[in-house]
Amino acid sequence: MRTFALAASAVPAVALAAVLAPAPASASAPAADRAHGIKVKESRHHIKATGDGFTVRIDRNGVRTEIDEAEFGDPAGEPILRSVIDMATRNYPPFVCRNGTYTVKKGTFSRTYSFSKRDPRPAPYTPEFGKAFAGIMTPFVGVVDATATNEKGETFRVLISDLAHEELTPRGFRSDSPIHGLIVDSRGKVRDRISLFGRFFSGPNGENARYWIEDRGTCRETRDLQYGPGSAGSTVTGPFFVLPFKAPVVTP
């Protein structure tokens, strides 16, 4: 979902709500909220992410995805959609990390997702973002298995999970938006790690919005996205954004 080089789907845009000013961000969420959404367990060499109807595992040997179609998505939502992007056909920004800069040469970005609703997200999500990603994704599962080179011409394997779980209810809007990955050299050594977890919580009509990004990895940049003035200064890694607007970053 969160690649600014490619919109999630070619679906019609929905009507957009009036923009509301966000409340100050916070680095905590109600305990009840944490019981839902996407859960991630990670170490230096292993990542496991679980959500409604899916599990993604990443280690130095690859990325593996399990989808349970009976549990995937909102039962009242839309059908499951799938697509595979050939990353060699697009000019993606490189992954700029602590131990190197990695440019993808070939690989795939596989996506499985479902829309639960077509309502707009609250501010600071912009109207432009709503046109590009026209629907509440419950959930989105994207995985990257690619080959990249660094500044020295060395070859690496890039293994990434790009996930999202959005919910819009009468109580408000929430989103879990984690991006995790390993960049592995030809000897099987993990050279860099991606660990960015975006969280968003708001009340009805976007009231008391709280949002932040947790960074436990070695790959993070900021970039101005194309989703209007409100998307300047967004946190990204390579072609993937965490939240499509500027958000505070914490390092637990």
Side-chain angles (χ1 to χ4, degrees):
M1 172 185 177
R2 296 179 305 279
T3 169
F4 51 83
L6 182 70
S9 61
V11 295
V14 296
L16 299 170
V19 175
L20 303 174
S26 167
S28 62
D33 285 331
R34 290 190 182 277
H36 306 284
I38 298 172
K39 301 175 181 63
V40 178
K41 295 182 179 180
E42 60 179 308
S43 65
R44 177 167 175 77
H45 299 116
H46 299 273
I47 299 160
K48 179 182 178 182
T50 57
D52 291 349
F54 72 87
T55 300
V56 180
R57 293 179 174 87
I58 301 175
D59 58 28
R60 289 174 289 182
N61 298 313
V63 54
R64 297 170 298 282
T65 306
E66 301 172 13
I67 302 290
D68 182 345
E69 294 194 6
E71 300 293 333
F72 191 91
D74 186 338
E78 299 181 16
I80 298 173
L81 301 174
R82 291 181 170 87
S83 65
V84 178
I85 307 301
D86 181 357
M87 299 185 74
T89 64
R90 301 174 184 270
N91 185 23
Y92 289 107
F95 294 90
V96 178
C97 303
R98 183 180 302 163
N99 299 307
T101 297
Y102 311 94
T103 301
V104 171
K105 298 301 182 181
K106 62 180 180 179
T108 57
F109 178 31
S110 302
R111 307 179 301 167
T112 305
Y113 55 99
S114 178
F115 294 105
S116 59
K117 295 182 178 180
R118 294 291 180 171
D119 301 66
R121 302 168 182 86
Y125 290 89
T126 65
E128 292 86 350
F129 180 79
K131 292 177 182 178
F133 297 88
I136 305 300
M137 290 190 164
T138 313
F140 175 93
V141 177
V143 295
V144 171
D145 189 342
T147 300
T149 57
N150 67 358
E151 311 94 315
K152 299 178 181 179
E154 298 172 310
T155 300
F156 295 81
R157 195 172 182 190
V158 178
L159 306 164
I160 296 174
S161 64
D162 171 33
L163 311 174
H165 179 98
E166 300 178 316
E167 292 183 4
L168 181 63
T169 70
R171 296 176 55 192
F173 177 75
R174 63 158 293 158
S175 174
D176 287 349
S177 302
I179 304 175
H180 289 80
L182 302 178
I183 298 177
V184 185
D185 68 18
S186 58
R187 297 173 296 173
K189 179 181 178 181
V190 175
R191 186 72 63 91
D192 277 293
R193 295 177 61 254
I194 300 168
S195 179
L196 297 163
F197 203 132
R199 301 183 187 273
F200 186 103
F201 300 88
S202 77
N205 301 314
E207 297 172 357
N208 301 316
R210 296 157 292 148
Y211 47 88
W212 67 94
I213 296 168
E214 299 165 5
D215 182 9
R216 297 177 174 86
T218 61
C219 303
R220 167 166 54 98
E221 298 179 85
T222 58
R223 188 172 291 120
D224 296 344
L225 305 184
Q226 72 268 37
Y227 305 123
S231 65
S234 298
T235 296
V236 305
T237 180
F240 299 98
F241 61 84
V242 187
L243 294 171
F245 45 80
K246 186 175 182 179
V249 177
V250 298
T251 53

